[in-house]
């Protein structure tokens, strides 16, 4: 079976790939200068595509930030006349001005091509049934996978997020083989299937699960694979870069290939903004190379990762990103220690007695910061005697202290008792600063 959907691009030699990137970078810089935002920057910094003589010249350009997108909302980054646009997505966090991303028809087609390439790489083929358990609408995750699945020729079920029992029924009725799901909902679906007496290995025909949209640990991947009997592939994307399909795992599942014909990747120190060598953790910075409506130059994603050195056994030369380790803006500090929520997850998901949900609550008592980890435990554990629960609580506390170097409070709570929603899981609640909640 052919392993590459687009071998002419996926198997390009390194020098040929970099020559393609340089050509597209020059074109992108020229195009970006048509927008009000980059047009002003071009005049201020003397930005000109002809000044780009090598890929390293990208460092002559200033960074673009989320705040820049907010400040220029809605049309400040637009590079084409509005009559050439066919799609708008809006991204907004819990605070701050929304950001808008615009697409021409060519942008949509190119995005679909990249997503089809990702799905094909996992082993999905025409004849498979793809069920999309991701939100549609202004969120890019649902439509990105949807268009890619249809482009590949998969029978596509636009199930959307939530409604767990309906999702399971659809999987049964239409013999779903490939799913797209966010990690927290996958864990929720495991609970519901257990309650219903559904064994996915016995009762369903799932074989591939694509997971992304929120950071998750290798321990979560292992739990999902063991329960559903699938191979889980990590997906990475962000709305500013179209959405999903920026990077994806191949069958080696040792890092995510970033499609370098579409994106120029940099890893920088988030404090100094200087480049770091391959293998070192830093902030991911991306430049679009093949977008018409709204190209972005040196966009600071705030996502922390690293370039994995060495070649991939799959044969693709597109470089690999490590799993996202967290965000430079969701890091929190307790007693002088930098902590990312994913560190907590790695510990919790390695403990069998822990259920599918948890929450980190930060507070301030008597001018001292406190950290409480609320942990759902399994049904069987919660009905055990108090001494057993105390042992589990102590075990979690010890292992978190060993990983984090601070001692959090640990609260064991009943299964299904922590808040859930159909979007990304809210893992961190910071009462010290309500704008971080």
């Amino acid at each position: 079976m052919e392993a590459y959907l687009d071998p002419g691009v996926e198997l390009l030699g390194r020098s040929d790939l970099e020559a393609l990137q340089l050509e597209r970078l020059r074109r992108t810089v020229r195009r970006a200068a048509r927008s009000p935002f980059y047009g002003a920057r071009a005049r201020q910094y003397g930005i000109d595509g002809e000044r780009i003589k090598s890929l390293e010249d990208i460092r002559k350009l200033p960074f673009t930030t989320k705040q820049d997108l907010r400040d220029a909302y809605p049309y400040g980054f637009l590079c084409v006349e509005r009559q050439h646009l066919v799609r708008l997505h809006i991204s907004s966090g819990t605070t701050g001005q929304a950001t808008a991303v615009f697409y021409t028809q060519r942008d949509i087609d190119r995005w679909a091509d990249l997503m089809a390439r990702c799905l094909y790489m996992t082993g999905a083929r025409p004849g498979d049934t793809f069920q999309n358990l991701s939100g549609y609408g202004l969120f890019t995750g649902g439509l990105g996978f949807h268009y890619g699945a249809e482009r590949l020729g998969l029978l596509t079920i636009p199930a959307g997020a939530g409604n767990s029992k309906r999702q399971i029924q659809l999987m049964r009725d239409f013999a779903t083989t490939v799913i797209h799901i966010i990690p927290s909902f996958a864990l929720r679906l495991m609970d519901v299937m257990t309650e219903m007496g559904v064994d996915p290995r016995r009762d369903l025909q799932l074989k591939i699960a694509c997971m992304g949209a929120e950071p998750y640990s290798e321990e979560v991947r292992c739990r999902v694979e063991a329960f559903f009997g699938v191979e889980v592939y990590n997906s990475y994307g962000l709305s500013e870069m179209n959405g999903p399909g920026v990077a994806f795992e191949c069958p080696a599942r040792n890092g995510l290939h970033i499609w370098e014909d579409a994106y120029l990747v940099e890893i920088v120190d988030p404090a100094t903004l200087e480049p770091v060598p391959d293998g070192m953790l830093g902030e991911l910075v991306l430049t679009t190379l093949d977008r018409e409506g709204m190209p972005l130059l040196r966009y600071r994603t705030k996502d922390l990762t690293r370039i994995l050195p060495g070649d991939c056994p799959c044969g693709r030369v597109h470089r690999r990103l490590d799993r996202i380790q967290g965000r430079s803006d969701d890091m929190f500090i307790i007693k002088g220690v930098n902590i990312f929520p994913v560190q907590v997850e790695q510990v919790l998901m390695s403990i069998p007695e822990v259920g599918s949900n948890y929450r980190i609550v930060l507070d301030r008592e008597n001018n001292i910061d406190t950290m409480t980890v609320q942990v759902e435990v399994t049904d069987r554990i919660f009905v055990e005697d108090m001494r057993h629960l105390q042992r589990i609580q102590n075990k979690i506390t010890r292992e978190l202290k060993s990983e984090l170097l601070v001692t959090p409070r640990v609260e064991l709570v009943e299964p299904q008792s922590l808040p859930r929603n159909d979007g990304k899981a809210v893992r961190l609640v910071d009462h010290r600063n309500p704008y971080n909640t």
Side-chain angles (χ1 to χ4, degrees):
M1 182 170 59
E2 178 59 56
Y4 312 101
L5 182 63
D6 190 357
V9 173
E10 294 177 62
L11 298 179
L12 267 180
R14 191 74 222 169
S15 59
D16 290 335
L17 180 56
E18 290 180 353
L20 176 63
Q21 287 185 301
L22 181 58
E23 174 192 341
R24 290 183 172 179
L25 176 60
R26 288 171 174 158
R27 185 178 66 196
T28 294
V29 171
R30 289 193 296 268
R31 176 178 291 276
R34 301 175 190 172
S35 72
F37 178 85
Y38 285 122
R41 279 201 166 176
R43 293 187 291 273
Q44 179 181 357
Y45 293 97
I47 297 172
D48 184 344
E50 302 310 313
R51 294 183 59 201
I52 305 296
K53 304 299 184 184
S54 69
L55 293 178
E56 287 69 30
D57 286 342
I58 188 73
R59 299 173 193 165
K60 297 177 180 178
L61 307 180
F63 292 97
T64 305
T65 67
K66 185 85 163 183
Q67 191 59 49
D68 291 329
L69 294 176
R70 289 174 175 143
D71 292 343
Y73 178 90
Y75 298 118
F77 281 84
L78 198 58
C79 294
V80 299
E81 297 296 326
R82 289 175 59 184
Q83 63 264 30
H84 298 303
L85 300 173
V86 300
R87 174 84 64 79
L88 160 68
H89 283 285
I90 289 179
S91 172
S92 178
T94 54
T95 64
Q97 171 66 53
T99 60
V101 182
F102 298 95
Y103 305 75
T104 65
Q105 185 59 57
R106 184 182 180 280
D107 292 336
I108 294 294
D109 292 339
R110 178 63 171 145
W111 185 16
D113 290 340
L114 290 175
M115 278 308 314
R117 189 191 297 177
C118 295
L119 289 166
Y120 192 93
M121 185 165 61
T122 70
R125 296 292 185 272
D128 278 315
T129 298
F130 172 75
Q131 188 165 328
N132 199 3
L133 293 81
S134 179
Y136 280 71
L138 294 175
F139 174 58
T140 57
L143 284 169
F145 269 89
H146 183 109
Y147 275 63
E150 289 186 339
R151 178 64 53 89
L152 189 55
L154 310 183
L155 173 59
T156 302
I157 305 174
N163 204 343
S164 301
K165 292 183 179 179
R166 177 66 168 162
Q167 301 280 9
I168 296 166
Q169 189 64 47
L170 289 169
M171 292 177 189
R172 281 176 151 167
D173 291 348
F174 301 102
T176 299
T177 52
V178 184
I179 60 174
H180 170 225
I181 190 168
I182 66 174
S184 53
F185 189 40
L187 296 173
R188 168 62 179 158
L189 211 57
M190 290 163 54
D191 291 338
V192 176
M193 286 186 177
T194 300
E195 293 169 5
M196 295 175 60
V198 174
D199 180 349
R201 291 175 172 269
R202 178 194 65 210
D203 303 326
L204 305 177
Q205 297 186 39
L206 299 175
K207 62 180 184 180
I208 296 169
C210 303
M211 293 207 312
E214 55 189 23
Y216 66 97
S217 62
E218 188 64 22
E219 289 77 9
V220 166
R221 189 215 293 262
C222 292
R223 281 195 176 200
V224 172
E225 288 188 330
F227 184 86
F228 287 97
V230 297
E231 289 189 341
V232 170
Y233 290 86
N234 199 1
S235 163
Y236 175 75
L238 62 163
S239 59
E240 293 83 4
M241 294 291 123
N242 286 342
V246 174
F248 223 90
E249 284 185 318
C250 70
R253 294 192 295 170
N254 180 26
L256 299 89
H257 288 282
I258 185 161
W259 298 123
E260 293 187 84
D261 56 314
Y263 304 100
L264 185 64
V265 58
E266 301 173 76
I267 306 290
V268 302
D269 183 310
T272 67
L273 300 183
E274 291 299 316
V276 302
D278 288 358
M280 180 175 291
L281 189 70
E283 180 181 338
L284 177 64
V285 174
L286 293 172
T287 296
T288 62
L289 293 178
D290 198 22
R291 192 156 75 180
E292 283 187 332
M294 189 177 154
L296 292 180
L297 305 175
R298 303 196 82 192
Y299 181 72
R300 292 187 61 186
T301 69
K302 297 290 187 177
D303 290 323
L304 298 177
T305 183
R306 63 191 178 107
I307 296 290
L308 295 176
D311 298 327
C312 183
C314 78
R316 294 173 180 84
V317 299
H318 298 252
R319 289 185 292 177
R320 292 167 296 136
L321 298 178
D322 198 1
R323 175 188 301 276
I324 301 300
Q325 301 298 310
R327 289 178 56 81
S328 58
D329 56 0
D330 75 0
M331 180 188 75
F332 59 92
I333 301 175
I334 293 288
K335 298 180 180 178
V337 178
N338 296 343
I339 298 174
F340 293 97
V342 72
Q343 293 176 273
V344 176
E345 179 177 288
Q346 289 170 343
V347 171
L348 297 180
M349 293 299 118
S350 67
I351 298 174
E353 295 87 354
V354 170
S356 62
N357 205 6
Y358 69 92
R359 186 168 63 173
I360 304 164
V361 180
L362 305 180
D363 222 321
R364 182 167 289 124
E365 299 175 4
N366 299 321
N367 295 319
I368 298 175
D369 289 344
T370 64
M371 173 182 174
T372 301
V373 182
Q374 298 171 331
V375 183
E376 289 184 4
V377 293
T378 60
D379 287 300
R380 179 182 61 82
I381 295 300
F382 206 80
V383 299
E384 298 278 356
D385 62 55
M386 290 300 298
R387 287 177 297 178
H388 185 60
L389 285 173
Q390 186 66 56
R391 285 194 293 270
I392 299 301
Q393 185 179 44
N394 291 341
K395 176 182 178 182
I396 294 172
T397 302
R398 285 195 308 271
E399 298 200 16
L400 285 174
K401 179 183 179 181
S402 176
E403 168 65 24
L404 307 176
L405 304 180
V406 297
T407 305
R409 298 171 182 168
V410 173
E411 294 180 359
L412 303 185
V413 301
E414 294 185 61
Q416 319 299 323
S417 62
L418 292 177
R420 287 171 165 78
N421 56 41
D422 291 339
K424 296 182 183 180
V426 178
R427 298 301 195 195
L428 177 64
V429 178
D430 192 346
H431 292 308
R432 304 171 304 172
N433 180 355
Y435 297 105
N436 289 340
T437 301

